Amino acid sequence: MNTPMRSYRWLPFVTAVFVTTLVVSNIIAVKLVNLFGLFVPAAVILFPVAYIFGDVLTEVYGYTRARQVIWTGFFCNLIAVIAIWISGQLPSAPFWSLTGFSTPENAQQAYQAILGFTPRLLASSFAAYLVGEFLNSIVLAKLKVRTAGRFLWLRTILSTIVGEGADSAVFITLAFVGIIPANGLMQAIFSQWFLKVVYETAATPLTYVIVNSLKRVENEDFFDKKTDFNPFKI
């Protein structure tokens, strides 16, 4: 019997992995890397893990639980951003230095360059995260009901195509429109979307292992037949 208010043994762990990958991804995203000729943020190596565990949350525990975790991730990331910003504003100790940066002023510039956030990039990242994660979860939950719980591989891939596509389109557009030309925007969107979809598709066997193990130990396989999919209803 599906009981949304049940307590689950492994839900805190899944939530912790989801939130950790999200926060760390936003920190390492400042570095651009070259993967197979595509120039993308370094977060592409980790951020799809959040989508994998988002799939696990929705598939095992249902959309309502996933919605709670998505908002938990949002506010945890907000706390991290605020803490990083405040620490960047505090005056540096006169003897503080970093390897390769001999003076506090140089060290502070390095700190700001790596960990500093511009308001536009921050707003773009938050908006893309919410749109992408909720679309991913909603599509997966609705497809599960339509397919009677079959074809998990198809449901995870289709939800990823929608969610990651929206995430990439929203972030790149909001962050860089007016800065890089339209063809550059499209290339950047496609590059991120393509790598993220390929990543999660390749991880499908791992998703199966995690989902099946959790369903067995939690004795849960939630179907969102009467769920209110309003993302703001917490």
Side-chain angles (χ1 to χ4, degrees), residues 153-168:
W153 62 271
L154 179 63
R155 293 185 278 114
T156 58
I157 292 174
L158 288 177
S159 63
T160 296
I161 290 173
V162 174
E164 293 283 19
D167 180 284
S168 300

Side-chain angles (χ1 to χ4, degrees), residues 142-222:
K142 288 183 175 289
L143 284 177
K144 183 176 183 179
V145 175
R146 292 288 297 272
T147 61
R150 297 172 296 170
F151 313 121
L152 175 60
W153 62 271
L154 179 63
R155 293 185 278 114
T156 58
I157 292 174
L158 288 177
S159 63
T160 296
I161 290 173
V162 174
E164 293 283 19
D167 180 284
S168 300
V170 170
F171 175 74
I172 296 297
T173 301
L174 293 181
F176 300 110
V177 68
I179 299 177
I180 61 178
N183 61 334
L185 283 175
M186 294 303 299
Q187 182 178 3
I189 291 171
F190 177 78
S191 298
Q192 285 205 43
W193 171 83
F194 177 76
L195 284 178
K196 290 174 181 178
V197 171
V198 169
Y199 189 134
E200 185 160 346
T201 301
T204 297
L206 176 61
T207 303
Y208 264 83
V209 171
I210 297 174
V211 165
N212 291 333
S213 298
L214 285 175
K215 286 181 178 179
R216 182 173 61 255
V217 299
E218 301 280 39
N219 191 29
E220 182 63 278
D221 187 6
F222 200 93

